[in-house]
Every structure is written in structure tokens, then in C-alpha cells.
Amino acid sequence: MATVLSVSGSPSATSRTTGLLRHVDARLAALGHEVVPFDARSLPAEALLSADFSHPAIVRAVELFEQADGVVIGTPVYKAAYSGLLKALLDVLPQYALRGKAVLPLATGGSTAHVLAVDYALRPVLSAMGAGHVTQGWFVLDREITLRADGTADVEPGTDLLLTPVVDAFAAALGHTAPAGTAARTPELAAAR
């Protein structure tokens, strides 16, 4: 099956976003995919904010994206946009780091007023980075996620019922995108290399 990089853009060590991602990871693993969790907050702040492309942690992050067949991106929503930490991570990745990959955008927040952040703030950036297929994203209210002491999360049954087909559609899309590193190149992308 596919290798999926599961990226948390939350700056918090006790994050509902990260808990939601680990919940989604378990579903993807049950479907037979290899899941590699990655927390953007694990990157050294100085290397990330100064865009130190040669820093070993940044080099390793780029490698993780290159090796993945698909990427799940999770972020808390702040002021109707994805987190600044996620923005900093995306900024240090190569322009077409998502080329040919299926991508599932997920967001969490305290109010349904932020639900459009997935489609109007995050999706355009993922597309601009060459994602082969950005599947339907999903927004989950913070109150629908309960964190356990071990860092995993319980998602309210009604929310999970709606989230499951979204995750399954992403899993199905993994089989319809080019394997990592072998995406079809358009003349424009080839010229950009």
C-alpha cells in the first residue's frame, strides 16, 4: 500500500489537532497504509524561521515529504487561517513538494465560523505546491475531540461517522496518484526544476 505522511501544524504539545490526526492515522493503518506521523513543532524554531535549508532537521522534513505517496495536513485554525507554524513549514519545502501526491487537509477550531478555512486558506496553498489531488477536506470542532492521557483522541461518534468516508476517499485517492518521486511532469514543471 501507500506511505502517508501525517503532518500536524499545531504548536501545542497537547493538541486536539494532533489527536485528530492520530485518530485518522489509525484508520489509514487499518486500511493497510504505512503512516509516518510528523509534528512541525519538532523542528528547531531558529532553523524553521530563518529558512535554514541546510539544517539537518529541515533536510529530513523535506525527505519525509519526498518519500510519501500521500500527505495528511492537520492544522488548528487561528483568525480564519491555518497556523503560522504550518505556514513556516510549507515555506521551507520545495515549491512542488506535493507534486503528484494525494493530500487530505484537516482543520480544528472552536467555532464553525472557521469552517471555510480549509477550502479558502489551506487548499489553494496545497494546490500551488503541486498536489496531484487535494481530496475533500474536513473541519472538526475542538469540543468534538477529547484527548486521552496517552495523546490519542476520542472523536464524537457523530463526527467520526462523517469523517470516516472523507478518510476513506483519501485512501482511495492514494491509488490514483503517481508514486512518490515519479509524478508525471508537465513541461512547466520540468522547466522549473
Side-chain angles (χ1 to χ4, degrees), residues 126-153:
L126 302 174
S127 295
M129 294 181 72
H133 181 55
V134 181
T135 63
Q136 175 186 349
W138 202 253
F139 176 87
V140 178
L141 288 167
D142 288 342
R143 67 177 175 260
E144 296 171 348
I145 305 166
T146 304
L147 293 177
R148 293 187 208 137
D150 65 359
T152 59

PDB file of all heavy atoms in Angstrom, residues 126-153:
ATOM      1  N   LEU A 126      -1.940  24.184  -0.948  1.00  0.00           N
ATOM      2  CA  LEU A 126      -1.619  22.788  -1.265  1.00  0.00           C
ATOM      3  C   LEU A 126      -1.632  22.559  -2.777  1.00  0.00           C
ATOM      4  O   LEU A 126      -0.762  21.877  -3.321  1.00  0.00           O
ATOM      5  CB  LEU A 126      -2.587  21.844  -0.559  1.00  0.00           C
ATOM      6  CG  LEU A 126      -2.639  21.972   0.972  1.00  0.00           C
ATOM      7  CD1 LEU A 126      -3.734  21.087   1.550  1.00  0.00           C
ATOM      8  CD2 LEU A 126      -1.292  21.681   1.598  1.00  0.00           C
ATOM      9  N   SER A 127      -2.591  23.153  -3.449  1.00  0.00           N
ATOM     10  CA  SER A 127      -2.657  23.042  -4.916  1.00  0.00           C
ATOM     11  C   SER A 127      -1.457  23.722  -5.569  1.00  0.00           C
ATOM     12  O   SER A 127      -0.877  23.186  -6.515  1.00  0.00           O
ATOM     13  CB  SER A 127      -3.960  23.658  -5.437  1.00  0.00           C
ATOM     14  OG  SER A 127      -5.060  22.910  -4.979  1.00  0.00           O
ATOM     15  N   ALA A 128      -1.088  24.888  -5.057  1.00  0.00           N
ATOM     16  CA  ALA A 128       0.053  25.616  -5.618  1.00  0.00           C
ATOM     17  C   ALA A 128       1.360  24.847  -5.436  1.00  0.00           C
ATOM     18  O   ALA A 128       2.307  25.037  -6.202  1.00  0.00           O
ATOM     19  CB  ALA A 128       0.171  26.994  -4.964  1.00  0.00           C
ATOM     20  N   MET A 129       1.398  23.952  -4.455  1.00  0.00           N
ATOM     21  CA  MET A 129       2.594  23.145  -4.215  1.00  0.00           C
ATOM     22  C   MET A 129       2.579  21.863  -5.051  1.00  0.00           C
ATOM     23  O   MET A 129       3.388  20.976  -4.843  1.00  0.00           O
ATOM     24  CB  MET A 129       2.737  22.839  -2.729  1.00  0.00           C
ATOM     25  CG  MET A 129       3.009  24.097  -1.902  1.00  0.00           C
ATOM     26  SD  MET A 129       3.220  23.756  -0.151  1.00  0.00           S
ATOM     27  CE  MET A 129       4.832  22.951  -0.177  1.00  0.00           C
ATOM     28  N   GLY A 130       1.651  21.771  -5.991  1.00  0.00           N
ATOM     29  CA  GLY A 130       1.663  20.681  -6.955  1.00  0.00           C
ATOM     30  C   GLY A 130       0.908  19.436  -6.565  1.00  0.00           C
ATOM     31  O   GLY A 130       1.063  18.394  -7.213  1.00  0.00           O
ATOM     32  N   ALA A 131       0.092  19.506  -5.509  1.00  0.00           N
ATOM     33  CA  ALA A 131      -0.644  18.305  -5.087  1.00  0.00           C
ATOM     34  C   ALA A 131      -1.361  17.683  -6.273  1.00  0.00           C
ATOM     35  O   ALA A 131      -2.021  18.374  -7.046  1.00  0.00           O
ATOM     36  CB  ALA A 131      -1.640  18.656  -3.989  1.00  0.00           C
ATOM     37  N   GLY A 132      -1.215  16.369  -6.423  1.00  0.00           N
ATOM     38  CA  GLY A 132      -1.867  15.660  -7.513  1.00  0.00           C
ATOM     39  C   GLY A 132      -3.371  15.641  -7.351  1.00  0.00           C
ATOM     40  O   GLY A 132      -4.117  15.713  -8.314  1.00  0.00           O
ATOM     41  N   HIS A 133      -3.827  15.556  -6.104  1.00  0.00           N
ATOM     42  CA  HIS A 133      -5.264  15.530  -5.828  1.00  0.00           C
ATOM     43  C   HIS A 133      -5.470  15.959  -4.383  1.00  0.00           C
ATOM     44  O   HIS A 133      -5.028  15.270  -3.465  1.00  0.00           O
ATOM     45  CB  HIS A 133      -5.807  14.125  -6.053  1.00  0.00           C
ATOM     46  CG  HIS A 133      -7.281  13.994  -5.815  1.00  0.00           C
ATOM     47  ND1 HIS A 133      -8.223  14.771  -6.451  1.00  0.00           N
ATOM     48  CD2 HIS A 133      -7.975  13.181  -4.986  1.00  0.00           C
ATOM     49  CE1 HIS A 133      -9.429  14.422  -6.042  1.00  0.00           C
ATOM     50  NE2 HIS A 133      -9.306  13.468  -5.144  1.00  0.00           N
ATOM     51  N   VAL A 134      -6.088  17.115  -4.176  1.00  0.00           N
ATOM     52  CA  VAL A 134      -6.454  17.537  -2.831  1.00  0.00           C
ATOM     53  C   VAL A 134      -7.874  17.032  -2.611  1.00  0.00           C
ATOM     54  O   VAL A 134      -8.817  17.504  -3.244  1.00  0.00           O
ATOM     55  CB  VAL A 134      -6.387  19.070  -2.658  1.00  0.00           C
ATOM     56  CG1 VAL A 134      -6.763  19.457  -1.228  1.00  0.00           C
ATOM     57  CG2 VAL A 134      -4.993  19.594  -3.001  1.00  0.00           C
ATOM     58  N   THR A 135      -8.003  16.025  -1.753  1.00  0.00           N
ATOM     59  CA  THR A 135      -9.313  15.430  -1.521  1.00  0.00           C
ATOM     60  C   THR A 135     -10.167  16.365  -0.666  1.00  0.00           C
ATOM     61  O   THR A 135      -9.681  17.384  -0.162  1.00  0.00           O
ATOM     62  CB  THR A 135      -9.186  14.056  -0.830  1.00  0.00           C
ATOM     63  OG1 THR A 135      -8.589  14.232   0.460  1.00  0.00           O
ATOM     64  CG2 THR A 135      -8.356  13.095  -1.663  1.00  0.00           C
ATOM     65  N   GLN A 136     -11.420  16.002  -0.513  1.00  0.00           N
ATOM     66  CA  GLN A 136     -12.311  16.801   0.328  1.00  0.00           C
ATOM     67  C   GLN A 136     -11.694  16.960   1.699  1.00  0.00           C
ATOM     68  O   GLN A 136     -11.292  15.979   2.325  1.00  0.00           O
ATOM     69  CB  GLN A 136     -13.673  16.126   0.459  1.00  0.00           C
ATOM     70  CG  GLN A 136     -14.610  16.847   1.407  1.00  0.00           C
ATOM     71  CD  GLN A 136     -15.911  16.095   1.634  1.00  0.00           C
ATOM     72  OE1 GLN A 136     -16.216  15.134   0.950  1.00  0.00           O
ATOM     73  NE2 GLN A 136     -16.681  16.529   2.608  1.00  0.00           N
ATOM     74  N   GLY A 137     -11.589  18.196   2.164  1.00  0.00           N
ATOM     75  CA  GLY A 137     -11.065  18.445   3.499  1.00  0.00           C
ATOM     76  C   GLY A 137     -12.162  18.333   4.538  1.00  0.00           C
ATOM     77  O   GLY A 137     -13.339  18.146   4.204  1.00  0.00           O
ATOM     78  N   TRP A 138     -11.773  18.458   5.804  1.00  0.00           N
ATOM     79  CA  TRP A 138     -12.763  18.348   6.860  1.00  0.00           C
ATOM     80  C   TRP A 138     -12.375  19.234   8.027  1.00  0.00           C
ATOM     81  O   TRP A 138     -11.201  19.349   8.364  1.00  0.00           O
ATOM     82  CB  TRP A 138     -12.895  16.897   7.309  1.00  0.00           C
ATOM     83  CG  TRP A 138     -14.209  16.641   7.969  1.00  0.00           C
ATOM     84  CD1 TRP A 138     -14.444  16.450   9.305  1.00  0.00           C
ATOM     85  CD2 TRP A 138     -15.487  16.580   7.330  1.00  0.00           C
ATOM     86  NE1 TRP A 138     -15.777  16.264   9.520  1.00  0.00           N
ATOM     87  CE2 TRP A 138     -16.445  16.344   8.326  1.00  0.00           C
ATOM     88  CE3 TRP A 138     -15.915  16.704   6.009  1.00  0.00           C
ATOM     89  CZ2 TRP A 138     -17.803  16.223   8.049  1.00  0.00           C
ATOM     90  CZ3 TRP A 138     -17.260  16.581   5.724  1.00  0.00           C
ATOM     91  CH2 TRP A 138     -18.185  16.345   6.743  1.00  0.00           C
ATOM     92  N   PHE A 139     -13.362  19.859   8.644  1.00  0.00           N
ATOM     93  CA  PHE A 139     -13.192  20.715   9.810  1.00  0.00           C
ATOM     94  C   PHE A 139     -13.898  20.051  10.986  1.00  0.00           C
ATOM     95  O   PHE A 139     -15.035  19.598  10.850  1.00  0.00           O
ATOM     96  CB  PHE A 139     -13.807  22.093   9.539  1.00  0.00           C
ATOM     97  CG  PHE A 139     -13.753  23.019  10.720  1.00  0.00           C
ATOM     98  CD1 PHE A 139     -12.636  23.806  10.946  1.00  0.00           C
ATOM     99  CD2 PHE A 139     -14.825  23.104  11.600  1.00  0.00           C
ATOM    100  CE1 PHE A 139     -12.587  24.660  12.037  1.00  0.00           C
ATOM    101  CE2 PHE A 139     -14.784  23.954  12.691  1.00  0.00           C
ATOM    102  CZ  PHE A 139     -13.658  24.738  12.913  1.00  0.00           C
ATOM    103  N   VAL A 140     -13.222  20.004  12.133  1.00  0.00           N
ATOM    104  CA  VAL A 140     -13.794  19.399  13.332  1.00  0.00           C
ATOM    105  C   VAL A 140     -13.732  20.418  14.465  1.00  0.00           C
ATOM    106  O   VAL A 140     -12.679  21.023  14.712  1.00  0.00           O
ATOM    107  CB  VAL A 140     -13.038  18.113  13.733  1.00  0.00           C
ATOM    108  CG1 VAL A 140     -13.614  17.514  15.012  1.00  0.00           C
ATOM    109  CG2 VAL A 140     -13.076  17.090  12.601  1.00  0.00           C
ATOM    110  N   LEU A 141     -14.845  20.599  15.140  1.00  0.00           N
ATOM    111  CA  LEU A 141     -14.874  21.489  16.299  1.00  0.00           C
ATOM    112  C   LEU A 141     -14.044  20.895  17.439  1.00  0.00           C
ATOM    113  O   LEU A 141     -14.085  19.682  17.678  1.00  0.00           O
ATOM    114  CB  LEU A 141     -16.316  21.705  16.775  1.00  0.00           C
ATOM    115  CG  LEU A 141     -17.186  22.568  15.876  1.00  0.00           C
ATOM    116  CD1 LEU A 141     -18.647  22.448  16.280  1.00  0.00           C
ATOM    117  CD2 LEU A 141     -16.723  24.017  15.925  1.00  0.00           C
ATOM    118  N   ASP A 142     -13.323  21.754  18.143  1.00  0.00           N
ATOM    119  CA  ASP A 142     -12.494  21.310  19.270  1.00  0.00           C
ATOM    120  C   ASP A 142     -13.296  20.486  20.267  1.00  0.00           C
ATOM    121  O   ASP A 142     -12.807  19.472  20.777  1.00  0.00           O
ATOM    122  CB  ASP A 142     -11.909  22.521  20.010  1.00  0.00           C
ATOM    123  CG  ASP A 142     -10.823  23.227  19.236  1.00  0.00           C
ATOM    124  OD1 ASP A 142     -10.261  22.632  18.298  1.00  0.00           O
ATOM    125  OD2 ASP A 142     -10.532  24.394  19.568  1.00  0.00           O
ATOM    126  N   ARG A 143     -14.518  20.902  20.540  1.00  0.00           N
ATOM    127  CA  ARG A 143     -15.322  20.219  21.569  1.00  0.00           C
ATOM    128  C   ARG A 143     -15.722  18.807  21.168  1.00  0.00           C
ATOM    129  O   ARG A 143     -16.204  18.037  21.997  1.00  0.00           O
ATOM    130  CB  ARG A 143     -16.542  21.059  21.924  1.00  0.00           C
ATOM    131  CG  ARG A 143     -17.565  21.202  20.825  1.00  0.00           C
ATOM    132  CD  ARG A 143     -18.782  22.003  21.292  1.00  0.00           C
ATOM    133  NE  ARG A 143     -19.700  22.250  20.218  1.00  0.00           N
ATOM    134  CZ  ARG A 143     -19.788  23.385  19.538  1.00  0.00           C
ATOM    135  NH1 ARG A 143     -18.974  24.387  19.837  1.00  0.00           N
ATOM    136  NH2 ARG A 143     -20.664  23.520  18.574  1.00  0.00           N
ATOM    137  N   GLU A 144     -15.512  18.434  19.907  1.00  0.00           N
ATOM    138  CA  GLU A 144     -15.844  17.092  19.437  1.00  0.00           C
ATOM    139  C   GLU A 144     -14.661  16.129  19.532  1.00  0.00           C
ATOM    140  O   GLU A 144     -14.758  14.982  19.116  1.00  0.00           O
ATOM    141  CB  GLU A 144     -16.362  17.169  17.999  1.00  0.00           C
ATOM    142  CG  GLU A 144     -17.658  17.963  17.897  1.00  0.00           C
ATOM    143  CD  GLU A 144     -18.091  18.246  16.477  1.00  0.00           C
ATOM    144  OE1 GLU A 144     -17.294  18.046  15.528  1.00  0.00           O
ATOM    145  OE2 GLU A 144     -19.242  18.670  16.302  1.00  0.00           O
ATOM    146  N   ILE A 145     -13.547  16.631  20.081  1.00  0.00           N
ATOM    147  CA  ILE A 145     -12.330  15.820  20.241  1.00  0.00           C
ATOM    148  C   ILE A 145     -11.949  15.829  21.713  1.00  0.00           C
ATOM    149  O   ILE A 145     -11.773  16.886  22.310  1.00  0.00           O
ATOM    150  CB  ILE A 145     -11.160  16.409  19.419  1.00  0.00           C
ATOM    151  CG1 ILE A 145     -11.545  16.555  17.947  1.00  0.00           C
ATOM    152  CG2 ILE A 145      -9.907  15.559  19.583  1.00  0.00           C
ATOM    153  CD1 ILE A 145     -10.589  17.437  17.156  1.00  0.00           C
ATOM    154  N   THR A 146     -11.812  14.642  22.288  1.00  0.00           N
ATOM    155  CA  THR A 146     -11.384  14.519  23.680  1.00  0.00           C
ATOM    156  C   THR A 146     -10.027  13.834  23.697  1.00  0.00           C
ATOM    157  O   THR A 146      -9.881  12.722  23.166  1.00  0.00           O
ATOM    158  CB  THR A 146     -12.399  13.685  24.497  1.00  0.00           C
ATOM    159  OG1 THR A 146     -13.682  14.291  24.383  1.00  0.00           O
ATOM    160  CG2 THR A 146     -11.990  13.608  25.959  1.00  0.00           C
ATOM    161  N   LEU A 147      -9.039  14.509  24.287  1.00  0.00           N
ATOM    162  CA  LEU A 147      -7.700  13.940  24.367  1.00  0.00           C
ATOM    163  C   LEU A 147      -7.586  12.991  25.545  1.00  0.00           C
ATOM    164  O   LEU A 147      -8.088  13.262  26.637  1.00  0.00           O
ATOM    165  CB  LEU A 147      -6.653  15.048  24.516  1.00  0.00           C
ATOM    166  CG  LEU A 147      -6.479  15.963  23.314  1.00  0.00           C
ATOM    167  CD1 LEU A 147      -5.457  17.047  23.625  1.00  0.00           C
ATOM    168  CD2 LEU A 147      -6.046  15.165  22.095  1.00  0.00           C
ATOM    169  N   ARG A 148      -6.908  11.878  25.327  1.00  0.00           N
ATOM    170  CA  ARG A 148      -6.605  10.931  26.392  1.00  0.00           C
ATOM    171  C   ARG A 148      -5.203  11.241  26.924  1.00  0.00           C
ATOM    172  O   ARG A 148      -4.429  11.950  26.281  1.00  0.00           O
ATOM    173  CB  ARG A 148      -6.624   9.503  25.853  1.00  0.00           C
ATOM    174  CG  ARG A 148      -7.976   9.028  25.412  1.00  0.00           C
ATOM    175  CD  ARG A 148      -7.914   7.540  25.062  1.00  0.00           C
ATOM    176  NE  ARG A 148      -8.914   7.228  24.063  1.00  0.00           N
ATOM    177  CZ  ARG A 148      -8.718   6.448  23.011  1.00  0.00           C
ATOM    178  NH1 ARG A 148      -7.548   5.893  22.807  1.00  0.00           N
ATOM    179  NH2 ARG A 148      -9.694   6.219  22.168  1.00  0.00           N
ATOM    180  N   ALA A 149      -4.873  10.681  28.054  1.00  0.00           N
ATOM    181  CA  ALA A 149      -3.571  10.923  28.672  1.00  0.00           C
ATOM    182  C   ALA A 149      -2.415  10.468  27.780  1.00  0.00           C
ATOM    183  O   ALA A 149      -1.329  11.049  27.813  1.00  0.00           O
ATOM    184  CB  ALA A 149      -3.494  10.215  30.026  1.00  0.00           C
ATOM    185  N   ASP A 150      -2.632   9.439  26.955  1.00  0.00           N
ATOM    186  CA  ASP A 150      -1.556   8.919  26.098  1.00  0.00           C
ATOM    187  C   ASP A 150      -1.397   9.702  24.790  1.00  0.00           C
ATOM    188  O   ASP A 150      -0.602   9.327  23.929  1.00  0.00           O
ATOM    189  CB  ASP A 150      -1.773   7.435  25.809  1.00  0.00           C
ATOM    190  CG  ASP A 150      -3.028   7.157  24.985  1.00  0.00           C
ATOM    191  OD1 ASP A 150      -3.766   8.111  24.647  1.00  0.00           O
ATOM    192  OD2 ASP A 150      -3.269   5.978  24.670  1.00  0.00           O
ATOM    193  N   GLY A 151      -2.174  10.796  24.625  1.00  0.00           N
ATOM    194  CA  GLY A 151      -2.047  11.614  23.420  1.00  0.00           C
ATOM    195  C   GLY A 151      -2.991  11.230  22.292  1.00  0.00           C
ATOM    196  O   GLY A 151      -3.115  11.957  21.321  1.00  0.00           O
ATOM    197  N   THR A 152      -3.626  10.086  22.412  1.00  0.00           N
ATOM    198  CA  THR A 152      -4.621   9.712  21.401  1.00  0.00           C
ATOM    199  C   THR A 152      -5.909  10.475  21.694  1.00  0.00           C
ATOM    200  O   THR A 152      -6.025  11.137  22.726  1.00  0.00           O
ATOM    201  CB  THR A 152      -4.874   8.188  21.398  1.00  0.00           C
ATOM    202  OG1 THR A 152      -5.338   7.793  22.693  1.00  0.00           O
ATOM    203  CG2 THR A 152      -3.599   7.425  21.035  1.00  0.00           C
ATOM    204  N   ALA A 153      -6.852  10.364  20.795  1.00  0.00           N
ATOM    205  CA  ALA A 153      -8.075  11.143  20.946  1.00  0.00           C
ATOM    206  C   ALA A 153      -9.308  10.309  20.686  1.00  0.00           C
ATOM    207  O   ALA A 153      -9.277   9.364  19.898  1.00  0.00           O
ATOM    208  CB  ALA A 153      -8.049  12.334  19.989  1.00  0.00           C
TER     209      ALA A 153
END
